[in-house]
Amino acid sequence: MMKKLIALMVVGVLLVGVAACGTSGGTGAGEHVETKSRSSTAKPKPSPAESSSKAAEAAAPENNADALKTAVKQYSDAFFNGSGMGAYALLSQRCQAVNDEATFETNVVAVGQQYKGALPMMTSISVNVTGDTGTATYSYDRGNFDQANQPWVFERNGWKYNQC
């Protein structure tokens, strides 16, 4: 549940757009998070080994379709909102190596200024995941920003945009 809550906060802050290189806004679909109350029946405390194993599991990033969708939305939002640093952080190592950080950030900031207050909204998204690679296909309510089979790679504890 904590992962979902953190992911929702990150999506809200970084929802990113990918125009030529990115996309935009959220899907508009809300996400419901349920909480379960604990019963008063006490369960035995886990051993230290079990506790650390569960903590490691909880801290491990998710390499699945939902996590990829979240990353795509984050990149799209960062791109259209002009968050150059946010968008650059979501590039794969390979793409960071071929894109000068300062130039990339300057270009993304310019895109953000262009769409300020009128961000294209993502209307659909589908992804395919195979191991540490994936593709995303998504569309927007306007503009020529739709993407088909956009490549992504899971590295550095998360999904990274890999089209450069």
Side-chain angles (χ1 to χ4, degrees), residues 18 23 36 47-48 76 78 84 94 103 106 142 158 160:
V18 174
T23 76
K36 294 182 181 179
S47 71
S76 175
R94 183 177 73 84
T103 302
T106 299
R142 66 181 185 285
K160 307 298 180 194

Side-chain angles (χ1 to χ4, degrees), residues 47-66:
S47 71
E50 289 174 325
S51 292
S52 63
S53 171
K54 287 182 182 179
E57 259 181 48
E62 293 187 26
N63 180 2
N64 60 35
D66 288 338

